[in-house]
Amino acid sequence: MANESRPCPCDIGDRFDYGGRGQEVQVEHIKAYVCKPSASTDKAVIVIHDIFGWQLPNTRYIADMLTTNGYTAICPDFFVGQEAWKPSNDWASFNDWVKTRDAGKIDKEVDVVLKYLKDQCGAKKIGVIGFCWGGAAVQHLMLKNPHLKTGVSIYGVISRFEDKHSLLHPTFFIFGEKDDIIPLEQVTLLEQKLKQNCKVDYEVKIYPGQTHGFVHRKREDINPQDKPYIEEGRKDMINWLNKYL
């Protein structure tokens, strides 16, 4: 079978049963998962999902982690009702599938979410994080959206925006050393281009031995040697947000 010859690198490890602490809401034309901290806050983070969509338990787990660190977190359905990718789908059809879901065409949805965060959640300082497809979306937003303060792109697909590096806001890029989707040459080139063109703070960090999907996959029970890097990636993400929000 085509699927078995190319298992999804995002899907490694334990897709754990996680119900989430937040709730699903309707925000104008899109659905979203929202989680709020117990104490009121004016800080919020938009979480942009990967190809597996806004309902993936792993992504909601990260949203809730942000909430335990004092942020309102929202993970909208940036596929706007279109089906998320399933591990059982035939990878031969992936390129056609992803063409209909452009990480650079989410501006309308982001505007709706920003309005919701400001009007309904009292947010004044808003950042964004994203994984894989969502990491590419973060880079897109950091290049053009004036209303966001900072971003964390987590194994974002670099090739999507390889010619654009004049970031408006401080951006942190997380990559795995053994990522089959994002070769290290691409990461090196990204660093060179940022050095030449970027006027704001940025950091590019490569985590030793890590494969695609390591930060938001619960893999501790399968590869104990990865646990420190998973924890480090999450801690670095929180520290970056704390610094710039």
Side-chain angles (χ1 to χ4, degrees):
M1 285 171 66
N3 301 326
E4 286 168 6
S5 65
R6 190 180 165 193
C8 176
C10 280
D11 201 39
I12 295 167
D14 179 11
R15 292 273 295 283
F16 59 115
D17 294 322
Y18 183 75
R21 295 174 36 170
Q23 58 181 340
E24 294 184 5
V25 298
Q26 188 76 33
V27 182
E28 291 191 26
H29 68 292
I30 44 178
K31 289 181 176 170
Y33 173 78
V34 180
C35 194
K36 297 178 183 178
S38 50
S40 64
T41 178
D42 64 352
K43 298 176 181 180
V45 179
I46 300 169
V47 179
I48 307 184
H49 54 73
D50 61 13
I51 59 172
F52 296 112
W54 72 295
Q55 292 178 309
L56 188 73
N58 312 53
T59 306
R60 295 190 173 190
Y61 179 78
I62 296 290
D64 290 357
M65 182 187 299
L66 291 168
T67 299
T68 61
N69 282 273
Y71 296 96
T72 297
I74 184 166
C75 180
D77 175 15
F78 283 106
F79 293 161
V80 197
Q82 288 183 292
E83 275 200 21
W85 184 258
K86 296 187 184 72
S88 58
N89 288 4
D90 185 350
W91 280 98
S93 67
F94 179 75
N95 285 339
D96 288 335
W97 177 90
V98 82
K99 276 178 195 162
T100 64
R101 294 153 179 81
D102 188 338
K105 292 186 177 168
I106 60 168
D107 300 299
K108 188 168 100 176
E109 284 68 46
V110 169
D111 287 346
V112 163
V113 171
L114 285 169
K115 185 175 187 301
Y116 171 84
L117 287 172
K118 288 169 183 171
D119 295 352
Q120 304 297 321
C121 306
K124 294 188 173 74
K125 298 175 218 163
I126 302 170
V128 59
I129 68 165
F131 304 94
C132 184
W133 183 91
V138 168
Q139 189 172 345
H140 163 74
L141 292 169
M142 290 296 96
L143 288 161
K144 65 171 297 186
N145 193 303
H147 304 294
L148 293 160
K149 297 274 186 207
T150 190
V152 183
S153 174
I154 305 163
Y155 26 84
V157 187
I158 297 173
S159 54
R160 180 64 188 75
F161 298 105
E162 58 192 347
D163 299 325
K164 301 177 180 127
H165 303 93
S166 301
L167 303 170
L168 298 177
H169 314 286
T171 308
F172 184 41
F173 296 87
I174 288 176
F175 296 105
E177 182 193 19
K178 307 283 189 189
D179 192 327
D180 291 338
I181 305 297
I182 305 165
L184 285 179
E185 309 87 78
Q186 285 188 13
V187 180
T188 304
L189 189 60
L190 173 70
E191 286 190 276
Q192 289 171 356
K193 292 287 181 69
L194 287 169
K195 202 170 182 179
Q196 290 163 8
N197 300 293
C198 191
K199 305 281 195 298
V200 297
D201 282 356
Y202 68 87
E203 185 179 342
V204 177
K205 184 168 177 179
I206 299 165
Y207 295 74
Q210 298 311 295
T211 55
H212 196 75
F214 76 100
V215 173
H216 78 308
R217 300 292 172 246
K218 187 173 183 289
R219 297 168 49 187
E220 294 92 325
D221 300 334
I222 295 175
N223 290 319
Q225 68 270 28
D226 290 336
K227 187 173 181 181
Y229 297 110
I230 293 170
E231 290 176 349
E232 186 181 339
R234 293 171 177 176
K235 189 175 167 191
D236 289 344
M237 172 188 77
I238 297 289
N239 287 343
W240 186 270
L241 293 169
N242 288 348
K243 185 176 178 181
Y244 291 103
L245 286 181

